[in-house]
Amino acid sequence: IKSTNPYRGIMFDEKNKMYITNEELARILKQITETVLKKKLDIFGMDACFMQMMGVLYPIKDYVKYCVSSEEAELAQGWHYAPFLYYASQDNITPLQLSKAIVSTFETLYKNKTYLYTQSVIELEHLELLKSNIDVFSQKIQKCFLLDKTNIKYALSRARKLCLQFTAPHYIDLHSFYTEFNLQLKKSLPRITTKLRQSADYRELKKCITDGIKIIEKIVISQTASKRFERAKGISIYYPHGPIHITYVTTDFAQNCKWIEFLKTVLGKKVV
């Protein structure tokens, strides 16, 4: 682990100073599924913190049917292994049923014991729909900025402040953000300029938000969350309060999605 040149990843080994980067994870899954198994993995689970986010899910979408992980930090005890492995031992259980069992047993373990937990199952086959929606959203924001930057930026700022963020505050629940931004646009309607309000870009932006919410609700097959995170709907995304970290710019998702352009527009193109 080079402190001067850090990367995003998983399975950090503090003793040996090793870990798997997001890009390496995708390469590993590509080799397993294309060379060894000759098919997608039915279930890929990450018993680790902050993994159920677009930046991690997007690079592995072609190699996995169902991804099970958490938007939030996970406690040291991790998953409720004995109960869900009992389900796995049943001959007639399907991958979808087992994925849901991981979530339900996780909830059983932590419900009423902690306020810090989330867990969800994502059907990655349709993740491209959400990525395309995010692309359109980012483009429409930039178009609307040209028509009424003050009010759009204010609505975004309020939505970012009021939406659900996690204990790593640069990650937010995407469903919560879309929902809050939609609400802020309605509240800002009296102040929004006529030019913006009557534009096709504004109408398409509002439709994009509604479509995005529906897509998330479609591809999140199962999810649970503690009361503190009851607005968590299964998928998070990077949205820092301040500068964009250089390690995010180099990720596969940032390279292939227009969300990075959205962040640059809203945050003033700050990268550190």
Side-chain angles (χ1 to χ4, degrees):
I1 300 173
K2 299 178 181 179
S3 59
T4 57
N5 191 25
Y7 294 92
R8 294 169 185 267
I10 190 174
M11 297 180 68
F12 286 81
D13 181 343
E14 300 294 341
K15 180 179 179 180
N16 296 302
K17 307 298 181 185
M18 298 173 67
Y19 67 105
I20 297 174
T21 68
N22 291 1
E23 291 70 30
E24 287 169 341
L25 179 62
R27 286 196 295 270
I28 290 168
L29 291 177
K30 177 180 173 66
Q31 184 173 356
I32 290 171
T33 56
E34 294 184 357
T35 305
V36 181
L37 296 178
K38 308 294 186 182
K39 64 176 184 178
K40 288 184 179 181
L41 288 172
D42 289 319
I43 304 170
F44 182 64
M46 292 176 279
D47 190 358
C49 302
F50 309 113
M51 290 292 106
Q52 204 74 308
M53 65 180 72
M54 286 299 295
V56 175
L57 296 172
Y58 186 74
I60 68 173
K61 65 179 175 58
D62 295 329
Y63 316 119
V64 176
K65 292 181 181 177
Y66 302 109
C67 184
V68 188
S69 194
S70 174
E71 295 180 84
E72 175 52 36
E74 286 199 2
L75 301 183
Q77 188 171 349
W79 290 2
H80 206 8
Y81 282 95
F84 94 72
L85 288 175
Y86 169 77
Y87 285 102
S89 70
Q90 307 305 301
D91 291 336
N92 60 347
I93 193 165
T94 67
L96 179 55
Q97 289 171 332
L98 182 56
S99 298
K100 290 181 176 181
I102 297 172
V103 172
S104 63
T105 56
F106 190 89
E107 180 182 37
T108 299
L109 178 61
Y110 291 111
K111 190 175 183 179
N112 301 322
K113 294 179 182 177
T114 178
Y115 60 90
L116 286 173
Y117 73 84
T118 66
Q119 198 76 201
S120 61
V121 180
I122 311 297
E123 187 175 19
L124 295 189
E125 179 183 359
H126 303 297
L127 193 71
E128 188 66 36
L129 289 175
L130 184 56
K131 182 264 183 186
S132 297
N133 172 267
I134 293 170
D135 282 343
V136 174
F137 174 82
S138 302
Q139 291 173 322
K140 294 305 171 184
I141 285 293
Q142 293 180 65
K143 292 286 185 65
C144 289
F145 253 52
L146 298 176
L147 299 173
D148 189 348
K149 179 178 179 180
T150 299
N151 285 302
I152 291 296
K153 190 168 186 177
Y154 177 78
L156 284 170
S157 176
R158 292 290 296 165
R160 176 61 182 87
K161 180 179 180 179
L162 296 173
C163 74
L164 177 65
Q165 68 177 27
F166 298 97
T167 52
H170 37 285
Y171 299 120
I172 61 169
D173 180 83
L174 184 56
H175 186 286
S176 173
F177 171 68
Y178 270 169
T179 301
E180 196 61 52
F181 184 48
N182 200 30
L183 178 61
Q184 293 303 319
L185 286 178
K186 290 178 182 178
K187 289 184 176 181
S188 300
L189 193 59
R191 300 190 301 273
I192 288 176
T193 63
T194 302
K195 189 175 182 180
L196 173 62
R197 189 165 54 247
Q198 295 179 350
S199 70
D201 288 315
Y202 183 66
R203 291 193 299 273
E204 290 165 8
L205 173 63
K206 291 193 295 181
K207 183 180 183 302
C208 179
I209 296 168
T210 302
D211 290 346
I213 290 171
K214 290 178 180 178
I215 292 169
I216 293 169
E217 292 172 353
K218 176 183 178 180
I219 67 177
V220 178
I221 305 301
S222 178
Q223 65 91 23
T224 185
S226 62
K227 193 168 184 179
R228 173 173 173 176
F229 297 119
E230 60 186 357
R231 289 186 293 161
K233 299 302 180 184
I235 299 178
S236 66
I237 198 165
Y238 178 71
Y239 191 160
H241 286 288
I244 305 164
H245 200 276
I246 188 63
T247 57
Y248 184 76
V249 178
T250 59
T251 63
D252 183 75
F253 180 66
Q255 293 288 316
N256 290 282
C257 182
K258 298 187 184 300
W259 182 255
I260 189 69
E261 300 305 321
F262 163 78
L263 293 178
K264 289 178 180 179
T265 298
V266 175
L267 301 174
K269 300 184 179 180
K270 298 177 182 178
V271 178
V272 296

